[in-house]
Amino acid sequence: MSMDLNSSQLYFNRELSWLQFNSRVLAQALDENLPPLERLKFIAIYGTNLDEFYMIRVAGLKSLYDARIQETGPDKLTPGEQLEEIRNYLHQEHMILESCYNSIVSELYTHGVNIKNYTTLNEQEEEEVKAIFFNEIYPVIIPIAVDATHPFPHLNNLSFGLALTLRDDSNQIKHGLIRIPRVLPRFIQIDHTFVPIDTVVEYFASELFPGFKCIASTPFRVTRNADIEIEEEEADDFLEILQEGLRSRNKGSFIRLELLDGANNDLVQFLLSYLKLDQEDIYSYKSIPLDLGSLWQIVGENSLSHLVLPTFSPKILPPLDSEDIFGAIEKQDILLYHPYDSFDPVVKFISQAAADPDTLAIRMTLYRAGPKSPIVKALIDAVRDGKQVMVLVELKARFDEENNLRWAKLLEEVGAHVVYGIPGLKVHAKIAQVIKRKGKKLQSYVHLATGNYNPSTAKIYTDISYFSAKEAYVKDATNFFHFLTGFSNYTKLDTLYMAPTQIKPKLLRLIEKESRHGKEGHMILKANSLVDQDIIKALYKASQEGCKIDLIIRGICCLKPGIKGVSEHITVHSIIGKYLEHPRIYYFKHAKTRCYIASADLMPRNLIRRVELMTPIGEEHLTQKIIQILMLQLADNNLNWRLQPDGNYVKVPVLGKSINNHKILEEYTNKIHNKSQKETPDYVHRLANRLLKES
């Protein structure tokens, strides 16, 4: 009797799966083969990841729990059960985090780098930090009395400070707070010694309350619900609604209180009473900073760059190294694999179009452009030069809303046609189109990608860019932008595939067709997350037919591999390393078009609630390049983790030749770049073929 594919026994909980992902990030910090600041970087990433998880996912679960809503996913865990599992998981991982941090601090000490509390400084360091406190910190920090006439202050999301018990000369006891604003660095730096600012402020706390003596104090940090709920209305109103939503992000309910071990119990109860939190919402640390993200200050210290992995310089390879980008695109479709291939051609695609008098129009989507965007600057120049510029700026891109709001206003002020998303849907597609006059005809060019138009993240995320001037692609691009700007019930493209109407049905058809080949079938799906139940059930059915399925899922995976009679032909990999794996690539061995790249992950939010694009790769040499990127990752035995049926991940052992796909691609890109310009840019598939033969 076959198992019911809707059974909760066949699905991992998405929140617990995410925690496993963050544990794999922490495992990078545990790797003693990495330089010490590279390890510290992964602790910083772990902490900032966890902050966002609490602000959004845990906040949502707490809201459901408080409303007594027993909503469950395919795994059937209730909100209350999930919250308990999350707390238990993080409390168990806490000791690993502490041990890892202390190990890194000890290793940094051998390199002359110290992280020390104020009370452990030598006399000279103490005097220097004292001077900094009175000259640069004392005037900026805010002492706050809390009593019947002084209400407990508003604390923004991720606020950081100290709670104090104070006593005056008449033995009267008072409570107070010292808020440490974000404009101050989290560490006071003296040469290569880094002193946590809270230890300095705590030492001089009595100086801020003249006539009072500090008799107890504790640093603390708070996390609020930061998920913005917006009722979308008319576009003019939407800007105002979004701005109000951003302000409300700092007014959401408190969901977490972080403290140091041994915090004074009276102060803890004082904080809990005002924050309306329970004891179970407290997370205590022994020796690590309350704000792990603050460690980026140390990681980013230029004089310590020798203590991180060497920075790779992306390369521009043939044909883009010597040809005009638009001329090259007319001759052939071009596929780039960032960050090994430079992101500069993507920037030039927009900037050169903006400067070319033959350019008539530029259209593109912006999801996360970053705070300093050369692409937006080029678009502004294009408008000022009289070109038609249409930009969809997705204002609902979480935690990038303020950047996007600023860009949208600037573009609109100079005269660009700006679209603020689509009601009810996030536009997550990555596409740009340039239309030029060429003689008596119009020539159109399109860029389609798996990642954002952000040159900064393009240096640390792996992603794919695809350029084409083929009529089928540019026609669909035109229709897509018309759909974004106008009214249309016709939401079907002819060559590209668009969510929410086309991508999921197409993927389900591709999976089903490949499954018909049984043991001869093979599919590889690479994405950030796999959550969608219909996709998972289709993969289970394909496995039951004997089809080989390799999943490369960096983060959340709700599918359970290796279950007899259901998923024994499915293997789940997760690549965690120097670069953040970000491309979505879907490969089907026997399909007419074997490879697709997409902006969409395998999640309901991407496939049903967002506007996404999936691009078929028709050129055989580009298909081969993508296949070999996938094969190289599957062969990786340095950065590769494999998901077990019980939900744990096991690092793939190094048997024979060591294969680190990030390192190998850096080295090989440098090698190709330094060779004769006659070399073709098919380095990836030639390299992977050799490695697979050797392994």
Side-chain angles (χ1 to χ4, degrees):
M1 183 177 178
S2 62
M3 184 179 287
D4 177 11
L5 297 185
N6 290 309
S7 169
S8 62
Q9 300 300 310
L10 295 180
Y11 299 90
F12 293 123
N13 176 265
R14 65 162 287 168
E15 316 304 350
L16 300 181
S17 180
W18 184 91
L19 289 174
Q20 284 275 0
F21 155 67
N22 214 30
S23 294
R24 296 193 295 282
V25 173
L26 181 58
Q28 291 295 109
L30 291 164
D31 186 352
E32 295 182 357
N33 294 315
L34 292 175
L37 284 189
E38 191 73 18
R39 297 174 63 196
L40 197 69
K41 178 186 81 174
F42 281 104
I43 286 189
I45 294 171
Y46 172 90
T48 51
N49 284 349
L50 201 57
D51 284 345
E52 185 170 335
F53 178 70
Y54 259 86
M55 289 187 283
I56 305 300
R57 303 303 307 178
V58 173
L61 288 172
K62 283 179 72 71
S63 296
L64 291 173
Y65 179 76
D66 292 341
R68 299 187 178 183
I69 296 172
Q70 297 301 302
E71 184 178 315
T72 60
D75 58 281
K76 304 303 182 190
L77 286 180
T78 67
E81 290 169 336
Q82 292 179 68
L83 287 169
E84 185 177 359
E85 293 270 10
I86 289 167
R87 292 184 187 110
N88 291 340
Y89 188 99
L90 290 174
H91 285 312
Q92 289 175 17
E93 191 166 71
H94 172 77
M95 297 304 294
I96 299 171
L97 177 62
E98 293 272 1
S99 173
C100 178
Y101 176 78
N102 290 329
S103 165
I104 295 169
V105 170
S106 296
E107 187 181 354
L108 285 171
Y109 179 76
T110 67
H111 293 276
V113 180
N114 293 293
I115 303 175
K116 299 197 296 188
N117 292 343
Y118 181 78
T119 54
T120 63
L121 298 176
N122 63 40
E123 189 175 337
Q124 181 182 341
E125 291 170 334
E126 201 174 286
E127 285 302 312
E128 288 187 56
V129 173
K130 181 179 179 181
I132 290 171
F133 173 80
F134 282 105
N135 291 329
E136 301 176 26
I137 300 173
Y138 181 86
V140 178
I141 54 177
I142 306 168
I144 302 167
V146 181
D147 57 22
T149 58
H150 298 86
F152 193 88
H154 171 78
L155 297 175
N156 287 341
N157 185 31
L158 304 180
S159 281
F160 174 64
L162 287 101
L164 311 114
T165 302
L166 303 157
R167 184 173 61 204
D168 65 11
D169 294 338
S170 61
N171 284 330
Q172 187 176 7
I173 301 297
K174 297 276 191 180
H175 284 125
L177 299 176
I178 299 175
R179 193 153 49 186
I180 303 175
R182 289 179 186 159
V183 294
L184 293 172
R186 285 293 178 258
F187 294 92
I188 306 304
Q189 184 178 350
I190 304 294
D191 296 323
H192 289 162
T193 295
F194 296 86
V195 186
I197 191 171
D198 52 294
T199 69
V200 181
V201 174
E202 191 169 25
Y203 184 84
F204 292 106
S206 295
E207 301 285 342
L208 291 153
F209 295 90
F212 285 83
K213 181 179 180 182
C214 178
I215 58 174
S217 63
T218 182
F220 72 93
R221 184 171 182 255
V222 295
T223 309
R224 287 181 177 268
N225 182 337
D227 205 8
I228 300 174
E229 293 184 15
I230 296 174
E231 295 293 331
E232 296 177 38
E233 299 174 16
E234 296 297 323
D236 288 344
D237 297 324
F238 183 71
L239 292 179
E240 187 176 333
I241 292 166
L242 179 69
Q243 288 172 311
E244 180 57 38
L246 290 172
R247 288 190 288 271
S248 72
R249 179 168 279 165
N250 284 318
K251 299 176 184 176
S253 59
F254 291 103
I255 54 171
R256 181 177 61 162
L257 172 62
E258 294 173 280
L259 298 167
L260 293 180
D261 272 358
N264 178 275
N265 188 58
D266 287 341
L267 281 175
V268 173
Q269 296 308 313
F270 161 73
L271 289 169
L272 289 177
S273 67
Y274 281 104
L275 301 176
K276 307 222 171 352
L277 290 171
D278 300 320
Q279 202 75 29
E280 62 191 9
D281 298 314
I282 295 175
Y283 288 82
S284 297
Y285 305 100
K286 286 184 180 176
S287 55
I288 61 177
L290 293 184
D291 179 5
L292 292 176
S294 66
L295 296 171
W296 281 110
Q297 181 185 339
I298 303 174
V299 174
E301 171 56 39
N302 289 333
S303 63
L304 301 176
S305 60
H306 59 289
L307 299 179
V308 296
L309 287 174
T311 300
F312 174 73
S313 177
K315 304 297 187 291
I316 300 177
L317 299 176
L320 298 180
D321 60 333
S322 57
E323 289 190 48
D324 163 69
I325 187 167
F326 293 99
I329 296 169
E330 285 182 46
K331 292 178 185 176
Q332 60 181 314
D333 288 0
I334 297 169
L335 188 142
L336 305 179
Y337 186 32
H338 310 299
Y340 315 103
D341 289 310
S342 173
F343 194 74
D344 285 352
V346 180
V347 177
K348 287 178 181 176
F349 182 71
I350 303 300
S351 60
Q352 289 182 5
D356 188 345
D358 290 329
T359 299
L360 299 179
I362 304 172
R363 303 162 175 168
M364 69 184 304
T365 58
L366 288 178
Y367 191 76
R368 298 190 194 278
K372 297 178 181 178
S373 175
I375 286 177
V376 175
K377 182 180 180 299
L379 292 172
I380 290 170
D381 291 342
V383 177
R384 287 173 174 159
D385 199 36
K387 298 172 174 64
Q388 183 199 74
V389 173
M390 174 265 155
V391 187
L392 185 139
V393 181
E394 182 48 80
L395 297 180
K396 293 170 286 184
R398 185 177 286 145
F399 300 121
D400 265 335
E401 298 99 338
E402 291 182 78
N403 277 335
N404 289 3
L405 191 61
R406 183 165 57 88
W407 290 135
K409 286 181 175 180
L410 282 172
L411 286 163
E412 202 164 51
E413 282 171 9
V414 297
H417 181 72
V418 180
V419 180
Y420 300 110
I422 295 176
L425 296 170
K426 273 188 183 179
V427 179
H428 192 248
K430 325 296 184 186
I431 181 172
Q433 183 183 27
V434 171
I435 302 169
K436 294 190 176 191
R437 183 173 298 284
K438 197 167 185 184
K440 295 182 179 181
K441 297 192 305 180
L442 296 185
Q443 176 67 58
S444 186
Y445 311 81
V446 65
H447 171 261
L448 295 144
T450 64
N452 298 305
Y453 289 102
N454 187 328
S456 298
T457 56
K459 293 177 182 177
I460 54 176
Y461 287 22
T462 64
D463 266 308
I464 288 178
S465 278
Y466 179 69
F467 293 99
S468 180
K470 282 194 171 69
E471 184 177 350
Y473 290 92
V474 299
K475 179 185 173 185
D476 269 359
T478 299
N479 289 335
F480 176 77
F481 283 111
H482 286 176
F483 162 72
L484 294 184
T485 59
F487 294 110
S488 175
N489 293 321
Y490 182 74
T491 54
K492 181 178 182 296
L493 302 176
D494 295 326
T495 303
L496 305 176
Y497 297 87
M498 182 170 67
T501 55
Q502 289 178 284
I503 295 178
K504 183 173 177 178
K506 177 63 175 178
L507 286 173
L508 290 173
R509 287 196 301 271
L510 287 165
I511 292 168
E512 194 274 330
K513 285 182 179 180
E514 193 63 30
S515 72
R516 295 177 195 168
H517 294 273
K519 293 181 180 178
E520 296 300 313
H522 186 203
M523 62 186 89
I524 307 172
L525 308 183
K526 176 176 171 60
N528 295 319
S529 299
L530 171 56
V531 176
D532 188 87
Q533 190 175 8
D534 293 330
I535 298 289
I536 292 173
K537 286 197 289 186
L539 293 171
Y540 282 153
K541 289 176 183 176
S543 175
Q544 289 174 328
E545 296 297 325
C547 184
K548 181 182 178 184
I549 302 167
D550 285 302
L551 303 175
I552 307 174
I553 308 296
R554 186 194 78 222
I556 302 166
C557 181
C558 295
L559 176 148
K560 287 190 177 183
I563 300 174
K564 189 174 181 181
V566 178
S567 58
E568 67 261 51
H569 299 294
I570 302 177
T571 306
V572 180
H573 307 259
S574 176
I575 305 290
I576 307 289
K578 181 177 181 180
Y579 300 116
L580 183 82
E581 290 294 330
H582 196 251
R584 293 81 167 188
I585 305 172
Y586 306 126
Y587 161 78
F588 304 90
K589 180 180 177 182
H590 293 93
K592 183 178 179 182
T593 300
R594 291 182 292 161
C595 284
Y596 299 79
I597 63 168
S599 60
D601 277 311
L602 302 173
M603 305 177 76
R605 73 180 190 189
N606 298 90
L607 301 175
I608 300 170
R609 299 190 294 274
R610 289 185 176 183
V611 176
E612 306 268 13
L613 285 173
M614 183 168 76
T615 304
I617 304 300
E619 300 282 344
E620 180 58 25
H621 73 286
L622 299 182
T623 296
Q624 285 297 323
K625 181 174 180 177
I626 290 176
I627 291 170
Q628 297 303 338
I629 289 171
L630 297 173
M631 293 299 182
L632 182 57
Q633 295 215 326
L634 292 176
D636 192 304
N637 55 21
N638 264 231
L639 310 177
N640 195 348
W641 296 76
R642 196 166 293 167
L643 176 58
Q644 305 301 300
D646 64 359
N648 290 313
Y649 282 78
V650 175
K651 195 84 175 281
V652 171
V654 179
L655 301 174
K657 184 177 179 65
S658 174
I659 301 173
N660 176 326
N661 84 94
H662 292 174
K663 184 177 179 181
I664 288 169
L665 285 170
E666 286 183 347
E667 293 172 350
Y668 211 77
T669 303
N670 283 334
K671 180 180 176 183
I672 292 296
H673 183 258
N674 294 331
K675 277 191 173 184
S676 163
Q677 297 304 316
K678 294 179 181 178
E679 288 282 353
T680 57
D682 61 352
Y683 61 92
V684 176
H685 79 256
R686 288 189 284 115
L687 169 63
N689 276 332
R690 177 171 62 81
L691 286 173
L692 288 169
K693 286 176 183 176
E694 291 175 356
S695 63

